[in-house]
């Protein structure tokens, strides 16, 4: 009799399992807030295109999780830490947002992740570069997905020093991201036998790079490293071209160059430039298939950030579905337990510090004669394995890393 009663209760519990899982999703809805620079310096590398990638992920997932609809909110943080923090605080207090996605300017991200930790919500960072985000600024409430300054420095700077580019002048954006990239590049250059002969920091953002390029020319450095991004990098490269920096014998190193930057500047300006990227649309059949779908919607090929937004959103939604919960700790644990195998990464994994590690790629910008189309821009020179690309945990300052 007791056995029969137990079996009946078990059967009832199994029948109720889907509805119980649904009940654990707060408010019976999964809410995602996309926060990014939608109109300024970083608009093209993430911006509205990143929101489109997120919407693609939601649509591909079916628009709901275990019967709970998925809602997407978005906001322009205007590259302001205060604006970003206030937006996220409002999303959590008034809209009960479960996940904050996007996040580009590192200063905004650092401010937002503190709020996420305080409010016990989850964030996935796809656009920010500062390696400190999963180092001294790590929290149990955010994951860093696409890239950071450590692999960008290790990939590009090490390759250039190995090829004889042993004296450097650094032109740096004067905020958290630029400082982190500058520091990582200095370390790599010095460890590989090179020397930093000069550096200058410019305000963020900057339109006029004339005085900074003149300082770089006057330094006599073989390599002028651009520790900036977005329109700052475009403006610096354009000014360097106008001043004949390359023609005078110096080499430009783009330490954080995106596909949209190369496309905007053209191959005449960027050919031969070596850079490191976390993803490229023309790597294989799967990347091309997804990029073609994205192009149909936007008329542009995706950057690594926009591809990362799609990948990370799907990984998050799968974790919510598997656990039947939108609780931040529960979902993060499931995400970390599940390898990332999709159009973005093969055998990627989320470490205890919140860094999603995956292979990175050293590429060279094609010449106009080598390119077969508007977006045929890169030749992949080598794959940088995940364990080699990202900062080892043995060097971590993250409080979540044991030992």
């Amino acid at each position: 009799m007791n056995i029969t009663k137990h079996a009946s209760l078990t059967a009832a519990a199994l029948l109720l399992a889907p509805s119980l899982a649904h009940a654990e999703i707060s408010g019976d809805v999964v809410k995602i807030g996309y926060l990014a620079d939608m109109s300024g310096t970083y608009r093209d590398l993430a911006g509205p295109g990143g929101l489109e990638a997120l919407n693609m992920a939601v649509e591909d997932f079916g628009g709901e999780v275990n019967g709970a609809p998925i809602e997407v909110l978005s906001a322009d943080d205007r590259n302001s830490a205060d604006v970003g923090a206030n937006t996220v605080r409002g999303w959590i207090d008034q809209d009960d947002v479960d996940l904050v996605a996007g996040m580009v300017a590192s200063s905004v991200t650092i401010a937002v992740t503190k709020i996420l930790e305080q409010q016990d919500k989850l964030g996935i960072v796809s656009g920010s570069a500062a390696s400190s985000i999963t180092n001294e600024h790590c929290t149990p409430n955010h994951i860093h997905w696409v890239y950071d300054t450590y692999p960008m420095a290790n990939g590009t700077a090490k390759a250039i020093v190995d090829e004889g580019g042993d004296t450097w002048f650094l032109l740096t954006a004067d905020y958290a991201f630029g400082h982190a990239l500058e520091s990582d590049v200095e370390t790599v250059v010095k460890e590989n036998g090179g020397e930093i002969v000069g550096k200058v920091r410019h305000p963020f953002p900057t339109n006029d790079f004339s005085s900074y390029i003149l300082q770089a020319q006057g330094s006599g450095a073989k390599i002028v490293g651009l520790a900036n991004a977005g329109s700052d990098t475009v403006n610096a490269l354009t000014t360097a071209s106008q001043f004949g920096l390359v023609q005078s014998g110096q080499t430009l190193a783009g330490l954080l160059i995106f596909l949209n930057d190369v496309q905007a500047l053209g191959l005449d300006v960027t050919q031969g430039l070596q850079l490191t990227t976390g993803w490229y649309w023309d790597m294989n059949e799967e990347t091309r298939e997804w990029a073609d779908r994205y192009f149909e919607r936007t008329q542009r090929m995706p950057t690594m950030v926009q591809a990362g937004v799609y990948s990370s959103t799907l990984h998050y939604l799968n974790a919510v579905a598997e656990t039947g919960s939108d609780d931040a700790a529960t979902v993060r644990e499931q995400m970390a337990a599940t390898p990332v195998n999709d159009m973005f990464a093969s055998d990627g994994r989320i470490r205890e510090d919140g860094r999603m590690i995956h292979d990175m790629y050293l590429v060279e910008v094609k010449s106009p004669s080598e390119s077969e189309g508007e977006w045929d821009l890169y030749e992949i020179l080598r794959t940088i394995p995940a364990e080699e690309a990202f900062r080892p945990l043995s060097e971590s300052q993250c409080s979540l890393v044991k030992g």
Side-chain angles (χ1 to χ4, degrees):
M1 187 70 178
N2 287 338
I3 294 175
T4 304
K5 183 178 181 182
H6 181 268
S8 298
L9 289 171
T10 301
L14 288 171
L15 288 170
L16 287 170
S19 61
L20 287 173
H22 185 186
E24 291 181 28
I25 295 177
S26 58
D28 291 339
V29 60
V30 176
K31 292 189 178 183
I32 302 174
Y34 176 79
L35 182 72
D37 174 7
M38 303 292 273
S39 57
T41 303
Y42 299 144
R43 182 187 189 279
D44 290 338
L45 69 88
L51 179 60
E52 195 65 35
L54 192 154
N55 285 327
M56 285 177 67
V58 171
E59 291 170 19
D60 288 350
F61 199 78
E64 61 180 34
V65 183
N66 297 348
I70 304 166
E71 292 184 9
V72 177
L73 294 74
S74 66
D76 186 346
D77 61 29
R78 303 203 297 274
N79 290 317
S80 164
D82 288 340
V83 171
N86 289 333
T87 298
V88 170
R89 193 175 287 111
W91 276 349
I92 294 171
D93 292 344
Q94 299 163 26
D95 300 297
D96 197 24
V97 161
D98 300 299
L99 172 73
V100 177
M103 288 184 277
V104 183
S106 296
S107 54
V108 175
T109 296
I110 291 167
V112 167
T113 54
K114 290 177 181 177
I115 293 170
L116 294 174
E117 183 177 24
Q118 293 166 2
Q119 301 294 325
D120 196 23
K121 295 291 185 176
L122 192 62
I124 304 179
V125 182
S126 292
S128 298
S131 58
S132 62
I133 289 167
T134 50
N135 199 26
E136 60 263 39
H137 295 299
C138 74
T139 77
N141 291 81
H142 74 270
I143 296 165
H144 203 171
W145 202 262
V146 178
Y147 70 104
D148 61 50
T149 54
Y150 191 93
M152 308 316 276
N154 272 280
T156 308
K158 185 177 185 304
I160 291 173
V161 174
D162 287 347
E163 292 174 6
D166 55 2
T167 56
W168 286 64
F169 182 93
L170 295 177
L171 179 55
T172 304
D174 192 11
Y175 78 109
F177 144 67
H179 300 170
L181 185 53
E182 177 187 272
S183 175
D184 286 339
V185 170
E186 281 194 75
T187 299
V188 171
V189 169
K190 291 176 181 177
E191 285 181 350
N192 287 275
E195 179 186 3
I196 306 296
V197 299
K199 56 186 178 180
V200 64
R201 291 177 173 176
H202 66 80
F204 166 74
T206 296
N207 291 320
D208 185 0
F209 278 85
S210 301
S211 64
Y212 306 118
I213 295 300
L214 286 171
Q215 289 180 63
Q217 286 182 307
S219 72
K222 294 179 183 177
I223 310 297
V224 178
L226 304 179
N228 50 22
S231 62
D232 280 341
T233 300
V234 171
N235 291 335
L237 285 168
T238 301
T239 304
S241 178
Q242 293 169 348
F243 279 52
L245 186 142
V246 173
Q247 289 82 349
S248 65
Q250 291 176 294
T251 298
L252 283 163
L255 298 166
L256 188 53
I257 301 284
F258 291 88
L259 189 74
N260 60 282
D261 300 326
V262 175
Q263 191 269 342
L265 287 163
L267 297 182
D268 287 331
V269 173
T270 57
Q271 62 182 306
L273 189 68
Q274 289 190 357
L275 58 107
T276 303
T277 186
W279 185 86
Y280 178 49
W281 71 269
D282 198 19
M283 291 193 298
N284 54 55
E285 186 175 339
E286 192 174 9
T287 58
R288 286 189 288 272
E289 187 277 333
W290 182 81
D292 286 344
R293 289 202 294 128
Y294 179 91
F295 185 88
E296 288 177 5
R297 299 167 70 121
T298 65
Q299 301 306 301
R300 300 180 64 83
M301 281 300 182
T303 66
M304 63 172 169
V305 171
Q306 291 154 349
V309 169
Y310 177 89
S311 167
S312 59
T313 302
L314 272 185
H315 200 70
Y316 168 79
L317 292 173
N318 277 312
V320 174
E322 287 291 325
T323 61
S325 173
D326 56 7
D327 172 71
T330 302
V331 174
R332 173 169 163 152
E333 183 178 1
Q334 178 65 27
M335 292 177 71
T338 308
V340 181
N341 286 298
D342 58 14
M343 41 60 74
F344 181 81
S346 177
D347 294 323
R349 66 180 179 88
I350 299 168
R351 300 191 310 197
E352 57 202 276
D353 60 351
R355 174 69 261 176
M356 197 280 275
I357 65 168
H358 55 91
D359 293 347
M360 300 287 289
Y361 306 92
L362 181 67
V363 304
E364 184 171 279
V365 177
K366 291 183 176 182
S367 67
S369 62
E370 293 171 325
S371 175
E372 297 181 357
E374 181 183 5
W375 296 95
D376 179 28
L377 302 175
Y378 294 166
E379 177 186 353
I380 297 178
L381 300 180
R382 79 178 185 98
T383 298
I384 307 170
E387 297 293 344
E388 178 187 327
F390 292 92
R391 186 189 307 278
L393 287 177
S394 59
E395 297 178 9
S396 177
Q397 301 174 44
C398 173
S399 59
L400 303 174
V401 177
K402 295 172 184 173

